Amino acid sequence: RIREVINVFLRMECRRENLPLDPLDYMSERYKQLRDSLIRNERLILREFGFIVHVEHPHKFVLNYLQMMGQTSGLMQEAWSLVNDSLRTNLCVRFNAEAVACGVIFLAAR
């Protein structure tokens, strides 16, 4: 949480500067400024490192492709299970959602 990150760094700053450890009011203007600064800097770091922060999931493509092909519910269930399992890997980041959906359908049909 943002609140905990801000609390930790404020506490570190107070100890480093030998200041009293005063609790931060979460409705104060200072908290809002620190929160906005933290979010802005986090986005900057993510952008600079080239992180993908939005990923399209292949679930809708799996259902659409199988419905267009008129496939049975058994194949749909198997493909749905595989696409859920694919979320535990980095496939959705490495490949586009349509390719992952096609691969999942291929594996389910085998």
Side-chain angles (χ1 to χ4, degrees):
R1 287 183 159 188
I2 292 175
R3 184 172 49 199
E4 281 111 14
V5 171
I6 291 172
N7 278 334
V8 167
F9 280 96
L10 278 177
R11 189 175 186 97
M12 289 171 51
E13 181 183 30
C14 289
R15 286 191 178 206
R16 185 177 53 228
E17 303 293 328
N18 291 325
L19 298 172
L21 298 174
D22 295 327
L24 181 64
D25 179 22
Y26 300 118
M27 299 299 167
S28 69
E29 192 62 35
R30 182 167 187 227
Y31 173 76
K32 291 176 185 175
Q33 289 172 349
L34 290 170
R35 181 196 62 206
D36 293 343
S37 176
L38 177 65
I39 291 170
R40 190 172 39 255
N41 289 322
E42 181 183 29
R43 287 182 184 160
L44 176 69
I45 290 170
L46 288 172
R47 191 173 340 118
E48 289 298 317
F49 284 153
F51 277 72
I52 299 171
V53 293
H54 173 73
V55 175
E56 189 173 24
H57 297 288
H59 291 80
K60 66 180 178 183
F61 295 107
V62 168
L63 290 179
N64 287 340
Y65 294 163
L66 289 174
Q67 287 174 352
M68 285 181 359
M69 293 187 290
Q71 294 300 314
T72 63
S73 62
L75 182 61
M76 282 188 184
Q77 180 63 45
E78 180 67 24
W80 190 262
S81 298
L82 287 172
V83 80
N84 281 337
D85 291 343
S86 76
L87 294 178
R88 295 184 177 158
T89 68
N90 60 0
L91 285 175
C92 291
V93 176
R94 292 176 48 210
F95 304 104
N96 62 20
E98 294 91 345
V100 173
C102 290
V104 162
I105 293 170
F106 174 76
L107 287 175
R110 289 181 76 189

